[in-house]
Structure formats: structure tokens, C-alpha cells
Amino acid sequence: MVTDRHKAMVQTCTKCSRANPTEAVYCYFDGFALAGHNRQGGPVAVGAQAFTNAFVFPNGRACRSFNELALACQEDWSAACDLLHQGYLETFLGGVGRIDLAFAAKEAAKFPDRDRGLDQLLTKLPSDVLAEPRLRIDPLEVSLGVRKVGDDSSFEMHLENQGARLLYGSITCTDGVWLALGEAPGAAEKHFQFTHELTVPVHVRGDRLRANNKPLEARLIVESNGGTFTVVVRAEVPVKPFPSGSLAGAKSPRQIAEKCQASPKESAPLFEAGEVEKWYEVNGWTYPVKVPAASGLAAVQQFFEALGVTKPPKVDISQREIVLSGEPGQQLRLSLEVTSQEKRPVYAHAVSNVPWLEVGRPKFNGRVATINLAVPTVPNRPGETLNGQLTVQANGNQRFVVPVTLGVTGGFDFNAPAPVDEEIKALEPVATKRPPSRAHVEVEEPVAAAPVARARRSKNDSNVFLHAMPALALMVAVLGVVIFDFAFPPKAAVLKGDDLSADAWQLDLSGLKDKKPVLGVSFSSDNRFGVVMLASADPENKARGKKLTADAQGATNNTRVKIGGYDYQYGKIIGQNRWQRDRKRFKLKEPRHGWASDFDFSGEQVVVRQHVEIVPGTTGLLDTILVYYRAKNYGTIPRKVGLRVMLDTYIGNNDGVPFAIDGRSKLVDTMEDFDGKDVPVYIEAIENPAPEKGKGKDEKYDPGTTVRMGLRGLGLPNIELDEPSRLRICRYPGNPEIGWDWKPQPIKPPDEESGDSCVAIYWDEKELQPGETRHMAFTYGLSKLEVGDLLALRVPAAVQPGREFVVTGIVWNPKNGQKVKLELPEGLSFASGEKAEQEVKDVKDAGRGQARVFWRVRAGGQGTSQINATSGGKKATQSVQVKGSSFFG
């Protein structure tokens, strides 16, 4: 080992500035004579000088000089890595007086990558027997010949190290999205390292090939410490001409446009039938028309506009707001018209965001596009006003957002005979027009005043007045409802005064030793919340606190409310959804720190409160965020209400934190859904899930920050909480506006180097009677994980008397068959059939990583107890709190 005495006994070489022992005559590194030792002759061959004692590898190979040591490391690379990381090379080099090399070995052992660490040391050994790494690639040009769009294939690149040591670098694919590197599905970039040779598979992605009159060409740039090379890959993908009709023989979009201009009427059916789109697909091209195909000349106009060869006409819409009314079970029909004053074909299509409003296939007739709408069956919700939205998109991406209101009147006798056709026609409602509202109508072009839609006339003109009577009466009723709604809007259950303290429970925080919050909470403009650690600096910005959510203000988090099957974003003002009370801090004395906001879904007459407060957690400090939601139905009819919260989890600069779950021997680092009773009591995200590679068995392991999310068993005084219906752990979907559900992906895909994790907590829809309230909550805060000597215990924040709970033992650098024994104090007992001693199993890489064992324990009376675990002379301790309320006590 290197000692202070060794450090003092050095002299410096003037040529290389290397430190040498005082008795040295020649520099140990380059062999030149040191100051005061001017002898004739060249430098001494330091690498060939014999050691006082040989260094012997585990296989018995003896190294008597630096040259022999370097060659042995090169030829038995894996064993050399082990000797370096176990400290043997550092000890030996210090023992032969090479303090500089001993320090180099120590630093190399700390390198995260074992191979790179050894290579670093070899560069510093005074030996010339190992040549510099030198890369050779075969082949440097690849011709794939003729390929078809959609056909996958592959070839191999052979990399060879014609020198010595470790050759490392990266391969990047440029100018060719149709190539991917590595194992399928491959990636655009691949890192590599090897000592002798390596074969890299390269995939040709047929779905990314694009037909062209010239050969496709891509370049693979190989950059390494042994040189930089460019591999050129070529492929021929000939264009398939259009097969038939008036466009036959066209080989490019321009030729398609030219043939269309020459015979537009004959070409239109080919667009309408999707033949042109299929031709684009066969050649691997992206079809420029992004909306459903129009018919007739409107289809040709649609294509020309997408190509940018003609200017779209300005269009108007006949109605900017639709108000309907009908009885349950009734069928309603109406139509919208999109028109233009210019002599160009008009096309349009519409999408409804509610299931009760259906959109028919548009009809195109020159400068008019007609969109037929229908309510096939008015929902059986008498007395309610349903709200929807119709999005209409026309020429040049001109867009109209039309609010739709459906008033459900009276009742419906499902046993009554169906009305005859003439009666149905007479009962069809008139679509009335309101003054347009800027908050509800989005128009990219100016819209002229919209005419009122007309009811269809009966075939029997002599009885037209008689048949029109029900429709006129219905119109009067609708107008009366509309006027009443404007004059007397529905009132939410407005909180009186500063009633925010209604949910501010009487928490006894007088016993806190430190009343200063450990965590900080910030809010976005729509009241999403982010969490940071106040006393710990962010690794990426020392001026701010360490982040526990990806965005410090919660911009990437997301809370959704589902009411009657419709999904809304909490805090997003749209339609009738609005703030009843924006974020406000509790008017309570320190150390209480909390904020609440109320968002009113006035169309459904449901108000949802979000209550965020910093509360005591597992460490006995203000280190946990309580997030509580209260949904209240203040209307007169039952409502189904659900909630989903998504947190974009993040610790420090680790965006892909894995999660520990009681009863699971492995961390969840891919994706998983938990339903019903399978939802854990809590989960924990761990910043550093395993010791760094290369750490010795006796070195202390720092797990970094551990964040605990409490999900079940949270006791709030006088409140019955609904427990989550579902928990999802997966990759962050990338969209902060993501809806209620989505198709999950693994936290870290195989083709990416870093992960990106998130957690979604679901409370499925539950029916609330008028005046009924639903309560939901979870916690998010810090947790203690005292590792000690590579053994730790994890327990719930608190447990209730007489309840069973799980104690988790975590063992680092484990071995199969290793015993871990749990010792319980008086007041705690093992569950039926549970043994005090558990055995570590299924360890694939003995002496590395971590393993978990579990005990089911039953709590006794209230109080705080200390439990201990032992394994092979190592010990871990943890405290368990048993109290009447599992969270607040």
C-alpha cells in the first residue's frame, strides 16, 4: 500500500515530470538519467528490468518485469480486471516503489467500466511491448443491390484491433434512417469496446426504404481510439410507376399532378378510392394528404393543396354553435355546410368528441361540403344538459371548433310503439343559433354570420302546420332552457369564506424536533405540483434543490378526472370547466405548509379539490408531501367520478429510477400494472439501486436518495379514503397532456441507454349520489434506507395494531444460501408459519448486486419498537411505529 513515507521519498524526472524514489538513478517511466546521475549511454529499458519479487496471476503465470506484466494483462484480460479491482495491482506496484503507478492503479479501479479502467492503467506502465490500438474495418463499402420497400435484411461489419490494449469507440448512422445498428430492432448509434475483434450486425429496415431514381446512400461513422473510418452503404430502390387509369406511368408526385391537371374528372376516382395513397405507400413515400379522402373534384383539390401547387380557398361554416333537445331514445338529425365564395372545390371532415353525436360521410358539391350529423339515440338522462364538441377541418387546414349542447327533456316509454316516419320528420329539432363565444369557437379564417338550420318539411304539405306544432313547441322549450341557463347558470357548492381549513386536519406537530420543511413544493399555472429537496443541491444546477419530479413545478405531471366516462384534465379551462378557487395557502400557523385549489366541472356539477401539504414522514421530519383529492357531486342526479394521477418520477439526475416493492426480490425496472388488492401499500424509488461497479465487498454503499410513495392504509382523521384501484409503473409517455389511459412501454427500451420512469395511480369511476363526496390520497416523500455494512431493513411508515405488515431485508453482494435472521422485540410477532431465518435465493452473479428477503410480521399494541437483522456478522436496525392511525397518529 502507498504510505506517507513513500510519498516523501521521491524525486522528479525533468523530462517527463514523473515521481521516482530518491535512490533511483534512472526514471522508472522512460529510463532517462535523473538529475545528478549523468552517465553515458541511452535510456535504460525500464520495462525489461526485473522486479524484486514476481507478480503471479491466479493461473500461476509469473511476471518478473513490466513487459511481462503488460503482456499477461493483455492475454488474460478478465483476470487482470479482477486483480485491479480487488486492489492486488495497487499493492504490488506500491511494494516495488512505484508510487505513481500505485496511485494510477487505485484511480483505474474506481473507473465505472472495468475494462476501461484496466486500459487506463496499461497506458501508464513503463512498457513498450503493447502497441497502440489500431482499428481495421472490413468492408469499407457495402452494396446491397436492388431492394424492395418493406423487405428487411441485414449484413455484418467486422472490426479488428490490429494493435493491443482495449479498442473502444462508437458507430453512428448518418443520412440513412433505413439502417439500424446492433441486435434487432437496433439503434442509430452503438458504442463498442473489445481487445481483439468484434462483429456488429447492421439491419436494413425495409419500412424506412424510399424509392428513388438514384441509389440510396448512408454512412456509418466509426470513431475510436484506434482511428476514425467511414463505411458507405448503398442500395437501389427503383420507383414503381403508377399502374393504371389516367395516371398510368407516373413516376413522381409532380407527374401525378400533371396528369391530374390534364384529366381531373377521370383522375378523381383514383384519389377517392385510395389508389394514389397506396401507390405512395408501395414506393415508401409519405402521402401528403393527412385527412380523410374527399370525393369528386374535391379530392383533386385536396391533393393539389397538400402538394402546395394551388392555394386553398377561404371557407365559412353555416353554424358556429349547435343547441339540440330531445327526449330519451329519440333520434335527431341535422347537417352543417362548409362553403366558399371562390370558384374552387371545397372539402371538409368532422370529428365528434362525445359518443352520442355521430358524424356521417361528408358530401362534396363544388363550393359546398355538407356534413351530416345524427344523435342516433338521445341518452336516457332526463333533465340533464350534455355538452360535446365538433371539430371541423376544411381546405388549407382551416379549422372550426363547434360546441354542441344536447338538452334531455321529459322521459321515454320504451314499451310504446315507434312513431311513424312522418312523425319522426316532424319531431326533428331545429338547430338554433346562439351568439358565438370566443372561448368555445376556434376559427383559423374569418367566419360569416351562420344561417339558422331549417327543419325538414313533411311530404304532406296540406298538414304541414299540424305536423310542425310539436317542433315549434320543442323550439320554444329549447329557447327557454337556453335563456334560463344564461340568466341562472348552475351554482357549484361554493365554499364559504376561507373554508380551505375544512380539509386541514388538526395535526399535532408540536413534537417535531425540526419544524423546517425538508421538501419544497412549486406549482405550475394550472396547479400541477413539483417537489424538490431543499437541503440537497441539484447535480445539474447547484443553485437549486435536488429534484424529486422531472420538472420542479410539475409541468410533466398530470391529473385526470373521469366523469360519466368522459376524461378531463384537472386545471385545464375548457368548455364549462373553470376554477372555483385557484391555489391558495392555508391560513394556519407554522409549521403547517399546505395549498388547496378547487376546480369546477360545472357541466356535470362536480367540484374536485386538490390539497397538497408537507407533513411528517418516515424520518420524523417534514419530509413528505400529502396529496389529497376530494370529489363532490353538488348536482341533483348521480354521477360516476374517477381520478388518475401521473407523476414523472425523477431523483437528482436519474430520470429512470427503478422501484422496490415489498415481496418482490427484484426491482421493477421495466413496466407493470397492479390491480385491486395487488396494489402495494407503498413503493420506493431508489436513486442508486446497486453499488457502483468495482466497489470492494467491505466498502460502504450509498443508495443516494430514496423516495417513498404511500398508496394504501393512509389514515386521515374522520375521513374514509378510497384506496387505489390500479397502479401503473412504466416509461413516461412523453406527453404531459396524456389522457386517462395509454399503451405502456418499458422504463428503459432495449435500444436506449437511459430510462425514463413514471407512476400512474388510478381510482376508477365510482357513482356519487347528489351531495356525496369521494376522498382519495397518496403520499410522496423521503424514506430512510440505512445500509450500514451492506445490510438494510425496510418497513412501512406506520402500522395499525393487530395488522400484518411486511419487513424487507436487503442484502448487497449476496450469495445463494446466505442466511438472514430477523429479531423481533416484545409487541411484535411473526405471522403464522413465518420463520425468523430466511435464505437468499436465485442469485445469478454471486458477490454482486443485491437480493431481498421478506418476513410477514404482526403488530401488537401501540408504540415504537426496534427490529434487528443479522447475516454473516453484519447487522441492520430499523424502527417500527404502531399507532391507531397509520399516517397521522
Side-chain angles (χ1 to χ4, degrees), residues 201-277:
V202 183
H203 297 274
V204 180
R205 303 178 62 175
D207 61 334
R208 300 291 183 91
L209 291 173
R210 302 291 180 260
N212 201 301
N213 294 322
K214 297 180 180 180
L216 302 182
E217 188 172 286
R219 289 173 173 78
L220 301 175
I221 308 300
V222 186
E223 297 176 301
S224 75
N225 62 331
T228 298
F229 296 86
T230 299
V231 178
V232 179
V233 183
R234 298 184 180 89
E236 295 181 25
V237 185
V239 176
K240 292 190 174 182
F242 198 89
S244 60
S246 60
L247 306 179
K251 291 187 175 182
S252 69
R254 176 176 288 276
Q255 292 181 10
I256 290 285
E258 291 172 351
K259 290 178 177 289
C260 267
Q261 195 170 15
S263 52
K265 291 184 179 180
E266 294 78 4
S267 303
L270 298 174
F271 288 95
E272 185 177 354
E275 294 300 321
V276 178
E277 184 175 1

Side-chain angles (χ1 to χ4, degrees), residues 107-175:
E107 292 301 313
K110 294 179 181 179
F111 201 85
D113 187 281
R114 290 162 53 89
D115 297 315
R116 293 284 295 275
L118 178 59
D119 186 67
Q120 281 188 359
L121 179 61
L122 291 180
T123 63
K124 297 177 180 179
L125 291 182
S127 171
D128 56 3
V129 296
L130 297 182
E132 293 290 322
R134 186 159 58 90
L135 176 63
R136 179 179 179 274
I137 300 179
D138 182 38
L140 287 175
E141 291 192 9
V142 178
S143 177
L144 300 175
V146 177
R147 297 286 171 177
K148 293 181 180 179
V149 173
D151 289 348
D152 293 341
S153 60
S154 62
F155 64 94
E156 293 182 340
M157 285 177 57
H158 297 281
L159 281 62
E160 180 184 354
N161 184 3
Q162 294 186 322
R165 300 205 334 263
L166 183 73
L167 195 150
Y168 54 87
S170 65
I171 307 174
T172 306
C173 181
T174 63
D175 307 322

